[in-house]
Amino acid sequence: MTAAPSHASQADVSEIDAVARWPLVLLLASALVWLLITGTLALVQYVQLLFPGFLAECPALSYGRVDMLLQSTLVYGWIANAGFAVGLWILSRLAGAPLRSLNWAVAGWFFWNLTVSIGLICVLFGEGTSVPWMHFPRFLYPAMVVAFGAISVPGVLAWTGRTQRPVFAAQGYAVAALFLFVWLFSAAQVMLFWAPARGVVQAVIGEWFVQGAWSLWVAPLALAAAYYLVPKITGRVLSGYNFASLGFWTLVVVGPWTGGRHLAGGPVPAWIPSVAIVAAVLLAFHYIVVALNLHGAFSRGSTALKFVAYGVAAYLLGGFVDAATALRDIAQATQLTWFTQAQGQLALLGAFSMTIFGAIYFLVPRLTNKPWPSTPLIRAHFAAAFIGTTGIVLAFAVAGFVQGHDLANASVSFADIAAHTHVWIEIAAASQAVLLVGNALLALHFASLLVIRPAATAASLLRPAPAMEASAI
Amino acid sequence: MRNGFLFFIGLFAALTLSWAGVALWPNWQLGLLKPFYDQNDEKAYPQRTPGIAAEGRMVYDDLGCAACHTQQVRRPDLGSDKARGWGDRQSVARDYIYDTHVELGAIRVGPDLANLGARKPAYDRDDLYKLLYAGVGAMPSYKFLFEQRVISSNRQPADDAITLYGPLAPPPGTEIVPTHRARRLVEYLLSLSQSYEYPEATPVEPAAQGKEGEKK
């Protein structure tokens, strides 16, 4: 079951990383810049919820536009750049060979971030589309598809040119994420913008796209990181690894079907939400496998492992909550409320971001051959991210229940609902501020690592991690 | 997963399957949905959005109104939509066939707008201009959709100048007039109507027919 490790993957700071150093640092640096921008925008949005007059005079930053900017920077800024960096690094490590054609990734990085920036400026000046996760004007999307493909080239080459026969779960998830999103993105933009489907079919396709982007792109990247890091850090083989491939295929096959659950009770044929509800419950199998495989994340270990443990816990909890709130009785109370915001934040900030933070703390010293300058800063970031993310999710979950309860009672006005949820939005805003400070610490820490010339290289400080990815997939 | 080629085929097949099931099938089912011709009215419903209202939809999109407002009325036994006066019947797929871009919305921080133009009591333009200008509750004011103009001595006040009292009233000799964008947005909001009773939209008594009435 345990693969015979090659020499390349045993050395902990190796030529494999040296080649990829600057392209991946570039991706990570831009990801962290976007992370700070999206955090600031989230804070602005929560303050606007508390004080509707805040920035109301400024058309570019009216609430609805901040909402679009916030989602776009989160998904196409932070998640995309960080996901590329972590995904490519894992693929090169597991392939046991240096990444090839990295100039494609650098060119892709440039055009991806350029198009995202242009898109954001378009939204600022009133060209936003209000389509969830597709807020940019349509002419930018083909360029984004090409740029995404270009960044994925080294990843796909690392896969096809891998020197080790066995395939690891982390590799499968990372390749799936890089390969599938391009197709999903293309199909969705054609049916939403270039040859728009009629009427509510657009809403159905929109849900399919957002769910697919989560199930086939964002979640697989987080899982790739978790499947790679947990055995590396704990030094133990993943338990029940034989089931990992079943878990993988369940997510890929069933995941994209679950999007329609948000449309229950809406103006679409009833079979669409019904199929989605069945799929959401079936997906429990995937979460059981992930829990079985990755429970090692909850053992004692470095701070990086703590981040991953938080991410895995958030992922599992999110899966359970998704399935529970898909059921019609619960959906009645939580649908169209802040509770959906809590679910989104649990997934994107909890499951994805926390796991990727763990991966960043693990991979950057190996990539740059420099140790992190300060351990207390890492702990401080973990504390801030833990408090911030948990606070945001819990505050919106409670606000959602309050709002759902009030909405069901026609005699409660919207001004009253806003008053009842006010304190929870305040808590969310405070948590967002804490999270933003924590993420700023990470960005500063990363910048200082790049600038400071260390007394000792990371290679001399790092204990070689045991090469023990098993190869059951 | 050992065979790389099969692995890619499998991934692609999984995505294609969900695309066919979740995107293509509804498109086939609803894409040819026709308007309903009413013999008595000698009109087909839903009616097309007038040009200025279609422009207003773009204002609705670019301001991101859908971040707080939904446009989907639920059936009477599901939530308080009817009791709140948002609509007498649930929204059905046919209501949206002429919408260039459907804005169902995902969260109700503010009221549902699907049937705003057919509310009782009816909103008139001045009401909506005032709501947009002053804001209400959690809704911010959109003062940038209006301009303050000096009423020159040889001219009457503008027809659509909004009537404001108290602290919001403009200084004497000036008036608050909606810009062209505000006019388009309000025309769009007033064009939102889901009042025609399609056969498939007739509310079904929950006790009598159970969940049968959800959708066609």
Side-chain angles (χ1 to χ4, degrees), chain A residues 65 130 198 271 335 407 473, chain B residues 1 29 33 62 74 80:
Chain A
R65 285 194 192 159
S130 281
R198 193 172 208 197
W271 69 264
Q335 231 185 358
L407 276 175
I473 259 187
Chain B
M1 222 191 254
Q29 189 183 3
L33 201 59
D62 87 58
R74 318 224 133 189
S80 64

Side-chain angles (χ1 to χ4, degrees), chain A residues 145 148 175-189 191 205-218 220 248-259, chain B residues 6-26:
Chain A
V145 169
F148 191 104
V175 167
L178 293 182
F179 173 71
L180 285 178
F181 183 70
V182 179
W183 297 103
L184 176 77
F185 199 38
S186 308
Q189 63 171 286
M191 294 187 83
I205 293 165
E207 295 290 352
W208 172 70
F209 170 68
V210 172
Q211 183 63 44
W214 166 252
S215 297
L216 303 178
W217 176 43
V218 182
F248 172 84
W249 286 110
T250 314
L251 177 68
V252 171
V253 174
V254 179
W257 287 80
T258 60
Chain B
L6 263 184
F7 177 67
F8 278 102
I9 296 288
L11 287 180
F12 197 71
L15 179 66
T16 311
L17 190 69
S18 82
W19 175 65
V22 184
L24 275 194
W25 191 1

Side-chain angles (χ1 to χ4, degrees), chain B residues 1 10 16 27-28 30 33 35 55 97 109 121 124 166-167 190 212:
Chain B
M1 222 191 254
T16 311
N27 194 35
W28 167 78
L30 297 175
L33 201 59
E55 288 176 16
I97 54 175
V109 183
D124 64 19
L190 289 175
E212 204 50 31

Side-chain angles (χ1 to χ4, degrees), chain A residues 52 64-65 126 129-131 159 198-199 202 204 208 264 266 268 271 332 335-336 403 406-407 409 412 414 473, chain B residues 1-2 8 15 18-19 22 29 31 33 61-63 68 74 78 80 84 96 100-102 106 108-109 140 215:
Chain A
R65 285 194 192 159
T129 62
S130 281
V131 180
W159 161 271
R198 193 172 208 197
Q202 290 175 10
V204 178
W208 172 70
V268 295
W271 69 264
Q332 270 200 37
Q335 231 185 358
L336 307 179
Q403 187 190 6
D406 283 353
L407 276 175
N409 180 355
V412 184
F414 277 92
I473 259 187
Chain B
M1 222 191 254
R2 281 165 200 279
F8 278 102
L15 179 66
S18 82
W19 175 65
V22 184
Q29 189 183 3
L33 201 59
D61 282 351
D62 87 58
L63 287 176
C68 294
R74 318 224 133 189
L78 192 71
S80 64
R84 285 182 185 270
Y96 302 86
T100 46
H101 172 212
V102 175
R108 287 174 168 171
V109 183
K215 211 59 23 67

Side-chain angles (χ1 to χ4, degrees), chain A residues 105-372:
Chain A
V106 176
W109 164 84
F110 176 77
F111 283 105
W112 177 268
N113 287 290
L114 180 71
T115 30
V116 171
S117 308
I118 295 174
L120 293 171
I121 292 169
C122 290
V123 173
L124 273 174
F125 289 99
E127 297 296 321
T129 62
S130 281
V131 180
W133 289 36
M134 280 199 164
H135 297 298
F136 299 156
R138 65 177 187 178
F139 66 88
L140 289 170
Y141 289 120
M144 286 175 74
V145 169
V146 174
F148 191 104
I151 305 179
S152 307
V153 165
V156 176
L157 287 180
W159 161 271
T160 52
R162 63 192 185 278
T163 54
Q164 305 186 36
R165 274 307 288 163
V167 175
F168 308 111
Q171 238 172 338
Y173 278 116
V175 167
L178 293 182
F179 173 71
L180 285 178
F181 183 70
V182 179
W183 297 103
L184 176 77
F185 199 38
S186 308
Q189 63 171 286
V190 166
M191 294 187 83
L192 286 174
F193 293 110
W194 300 106
R198 193 172 208 197
V200 290
V201 183
Q202 290 175 10
V204 178
I205 293 165
E207 295 290 352
W208 172 70
F209 170 68
V210 172
Q211 183 63 44
W214 166 252
S215 297
L216 303 178
W217 176 43
V218 182
L221 286 170
L223 288 170
Y227 269 95
Y228 181 79
L229 291 175
V230 171
K232 280 280 181 200
I233 298 177
T234 60
R236 277 191 294 255
V237 179
L238 292 173
S239 56
Y241 195 68
N242 290 330
F243 293 104
S245 63
L246 281 174
F248 172 84
W249 286 110
T250 314
L251 177 68
V252 171
V253 174
V254 179
W257 287 80
T258 60
R261 65 184 191 278
H262 301 296
L263 296 171
V268 295
W271 69 264
I272 293 173
S274 300
V275 166
I277 294 165
V278 174
V281 176
L282 271 181
L283 204 58
F285 182 73
H286 162 76
Y287 290 101
I288 292 170
V289 171
V290 171
L292 177 71
N293 288 162
L294 295 181
H295 67 80
F298 302 106
S299 50
R300 287 172 59 84
S302 60
T303 316
L305 188 68
K306 290 201 185 96
F307 275 106
V308 177
Y310 189 106
V312 172
Y315 185 70
L316 297 174
L317 178 68
F320 172 75
V321 173
D322 280 355
T325 54
L327 304 174
R328 286 178 200 270
D329 291 335
I330 303 174
Q332 270 200 37
T334 59
Q335 231 185 358
L336 307 179
T337 70
W338 290 118
F339 197 87
T340 51
Q341 170 91 350
Q343 285 175 277
Q345 302 291 35
L346 180 64
L348 300 180
L349 301 183
F352 178 84
S353 300
M354 291 298 254
T355 313
I356 296 301
F357 289 147
I360 288 175
Y361 283 118
F362 185 85
L363 75 84
V364 168
R366 288 159 175 83
L367 191 66
T368 58
N369 200 8
K370 288 177 178 179
W372 286 102

Side-chain angles (χ1 to χ4, degrees), chain B residues 105-128:
Chain B
I107 184 165
R108 287 174 168 171
V109 183
D112 190 273
L113 302 178
N115 199 31
L116 188 77
R119 290 270 177 85
K120 294 183 191 74
Y123 282 101
D124 64 19
R125 289 179 178 74
D126 198 46
D127 296 333
L128 293 176

